[in-house]
Amino acid sequence: QVYVVFSEELQCWCRALVESVRQQVDGCQLGCFLVDYAKYCSVASENIRVLAGAFAKIPYRAKKCRLHCTKPLTLRIDYCENTAKIGPAKRWDTAAIQHFRKLLE
C-alpha cells in the first residue's frame, strides 16, 4: 500500500512504500521508498499518513528495477593458499550497492 510521508531531506510530503519498521526508544522509524523520487529514506512514525483515494491511482514516476543478466560477485580470499578469486555471490554487498548508486548520481 502507498502512503504519504514527510521527507526531511526534500522538505515535502511524498508518496512512499513502507519497506521496513524499526522500533526505537523514541518511537518507530519506517524505511520507505519514495515512488516519485526513487530515493530511500527513514521517516518517524508520526510523519506518515494514509493516501487519499484519487492520488493513489496516479502512476509512480520511479520504478524499482533490476539489471538484466547481471549477477552479484564477491571476492573470496583463501588465507591458507594466499590467493584471492572473484566468484558468484547470493547477494550484492553493501560497497557494490553504494558504488552503483554513486555512478547513477
Side-chain angles (χ1 to χ4, degrees), residues 9 12 17 21-23 28-29 35 43-45 49 57-58 67-68 75 77-78 80 83 88 93 98-99 101:
E9 179 185 348
C12 65
L17 294 170
V21 178
R22 293 183 305 278
Q23 184 68 34
C28 290
Q29 282 291 112
V35 297
V43 177
S45 59
R49 305 287 186 272
K57 295 177 183 172
I58 298 172
L67 297 175
H68 181 66
L75 183 64
I77 300 172
D78 187 344
C80 296
T83 60
D93 64 7
Q98 288 174 351
H99 177 69
R101 285 185 179 158

Side-chain angles (χ1 to χ4, degrees), residues 8-104:
E8 295 290 336
E9 179 185 348
L10 301 171
Q11 289 296 306
C12 65
W13 290 89
C14 308
R15 296 185 300 165
L17 294 170
V18 176
E19 296 196 336
S20 65
V21 178
R22 293 183 305 278
Q23 184 68 34
Q24 296 184 336
V25 177
D26 57 345
C28 290
Q29 282 291 112
L30 307 169
C32 299
F33 176 72
L34 304 179
V35 297
D36 293 317
Y37 295 93
K39 289 182 173 254
Y40 290 91
C41 69
S42 185
V43 177
S45 59
E46 60 266 8
N47 290 334
I48 186 170
R49 305 287 186 272
V50 176
L51 185 60
F55 292 107
K57 295 177 183 172
I58 298 172
Y60 306 153
R61 293 182 61 199
K63 293 188 181 201
K64 290 184 182 182
C65 59
R66 296 178 184 199
L67 297 175
H68 181 66
C69 294
T70 303
K71 308 264 186 206
L73 298 174
T74 189
L75 183 64
R76 300 188 192 280
I77 300 172
D78 187 344
Y79 292 105
C80 296
E81 295 183 18
N82 200 22
T83 60
K85 296 178 184 176
I86 294 179
K90 291 183 181 178
R91 299 184 62 194
W92 291 100
D93 64 7
T94 307
I97 293 169
Q98 288 174 351
H99 177 69
F100 183 71
R101 285 185 179 158
K102 285 180 185 177
L103 290 174
L104 289 176

